[in-house]
Amino acid sequence: MNSASNMFKVAVVGGEGIGPEVTAQSRRILKWFVVERGVPVETREAQYGLVPYLATGKVLPEDTVEAMDQADAILWGATGGPETKEVPSAARKAGSLLSLRRKYDLYANLRPIVASPALAKAAPLKAEVLYGVDFVIIRELTSGIYFGEPRGIETLPDGQRRGFNTEQYTTNQVRRVARAAFELARTRGRKVCSVDKANVLETSVLWREEVTALHRDEFSDVELTHLYVDNAAMQIVRQPRQFDVMVTGNIFGDILSDCAAMASGSLGMLPSASLGPVDRLGRRKALYEPVHGSAPDIAGKGIANPLGSILSVAMMLRLTLNRPDDADLLERAVTAALAAGARTADIAEPGAKRLSTVEMGDAVLNALEAVAVEQKERA
Ligand code: IPM
Ligand code: MG
């Protein structure tokens, strides 16, 4: 909450590829909550990527930096794709999503994996495997091999080249993300599965020791298990229903969360939240974004699935705006729209009518109205 007013500030940054199209729909949804439910939000739209680069020489222009610095929450679309080849890599790096995660210390990345019964037929895994899947991957997002030094590409005396990166974790880096996982588990099924590669990597030996120590000292009411990452990948496709909260490092979380997307039925449906440390006033910076990327092959066609972005707004309602009832309402509306047959191309069963991005936004808005009326009548 911004101290000068009672309004929460939300920076809306559509970015590149399908980012602007899907974010336009989630923004409509957020506006519905402002107008119909009195959620105190002030939005500020800002540009990111190739468009501002061509105008200002920066992918992340001053105005966008200011909007994001001042925001309680950032609603992010997507970054990357072929169009970005026009941006030199130094300029790209200076304003990259990775640099933003680091700048705002967004260390806890929550990626909920929930299978929708309505999508079972269109999903690549069998309906019986998907049945009842509901877990959250918490990925450490600001350390590990993504940021470790030294890193680089060098030329050896014999003329070969050598690329190298550094996987590293400290006690505090492990403990704070493990704490986030245990705390989340306490609000759900009270189970945490920690994923590492402690049979090979020292960073993982440390990871496992620190998670185990924190569990013993403060969270023994939560069940803790450990899996090696290779086994975890297999278990996610074999029996994803077994998981409640899974916590893991940066690169393992990157890979496992794409794998887990299939245990939800569709990548296009998945939201995420990246959370920073809690400050003295109890606030924490947050960035909300769909897990799907910029999907350059379908960008600009108006056919992308906006539900990942829309469900990210539900996470924002719950985690930044302190409106759990409104978050539930939105999730129920999405479920209702799907149950009524609303499908974008990526989740359509053969022969089903395929909605455009805007039409899917309409379908969720209509469902919101209907669910809200139904709730009022029941009250
Ligand atoms: C993700 C993405 C990013 C990552 C890319 C775009 C840098 O794959 O958020 O999962 O690797 O973290
Ligand atoms: Mg990824």
Side-chain angles (χ1 to χ4, degrees), residues 18 21-22 116 118-125 130 261-262 264-271 290-293 295 297-298 301-311 334 338 341-361:
I18 60 172
E21 300 160 50
V22 297
S116 235
L119 300 184
K121 265 197 228 120
L125 294 184
L130 295 182
M262 290 301 99
S264 80
S266 163
L267 183 61
M269 297 282 300
L270 296 186
V291 171
H292 65 67
D297 52 321
I298 57 164
K301 295 189 180 162
I303 58 169
N305 185 350
L307 293 179
S309 185
I310 288 172
L311 289 169
V334 169
L338 289 171
R343 299 284 187 278
T344 42
D346 58 312
I347 52 174
E349 43 280 77
K353 179 171 185 273
R354 297 166 173 221
L355 299 186
S356 69
T357 308
V358 176
E359 286 167 339
M360 182 58 103

Side-chain angles (χ1 to χ4, degrees), residues 147-268:
F147 296 96
E149 301 280 350
R151 62 190 297 160
I153 300 176
E154 64 183 11
T155 303
L156 300 172
D158 69 356
Q160 285 196 73
R161 294 197 307 150
R162 173 177 173 266
F164 54 99
N165 290 88
T166 303
E167 168 77 337
Q168 65 85 39
Y169 271 106
T170 64
T171 304
N172 286 350
Q173 288 167 346
V174 176
R175 286 194 174 220
R176 66 176 182 170
V177 74
R179 177 178 299 283
F182 287 127
E183 283 172 352
L184 180 66
R186 273 186 178 155
T187 70
R188 305 173 40 100
R190 290 188 175 256
K191 289 199 315 188
V192 169
C193 175
S194 172
V195 175
D196 60 41
K197 188 70 183 172
N199 50 344
V200 179
L201 304 175
E202 282 77 8
T203 41
S204 281
V205 171
L206 178 107
W207 178 282
R208 193 175 283 218
E209 286 174 3
E210 293 300 339
V211 171
T212 302
L214 181 68
H215 174 254
R216 181 196 57 219
D217 294 347
E218 295 183 42
F219 295 98
S220 51
D221 55 310
V222 175
E223 178 192 312
L224 172 65
T225 54
H226 303 273
L227 284 181
Y228 296 138
V229 62
D230 46 352
N231 187 14
M234 192 260 280
Q235 296 299 337
I236 285 172
V237 251
R238 192 184 74 88
Q239 204 201 71
R241 190 165 48 242
Q242 68 185 286
F243 298 114
D244 178 32
V245 175
M246 177 178 282
V247 64
T248 190
N250 205 341
I251 195 161
F252 295 159
D254 179 46
I255 298 164
L256 291 179
S257 59
D258 265 34
C259 174
M262 290 301 99
S264 80
S266 163
L267 183 61

Side-chain angles (χ1 to χ4, degrees), residues 48 59-60 87-100 151-152:
Y48 174 87
V59 290
L60 199 61
V87 184
S89 76
R92 167 66 54 190
K93 244 185 170 167
S96 68
L97 180 58
L98 294 185
S99 73
L100 292 171
R151 62 190 297 160

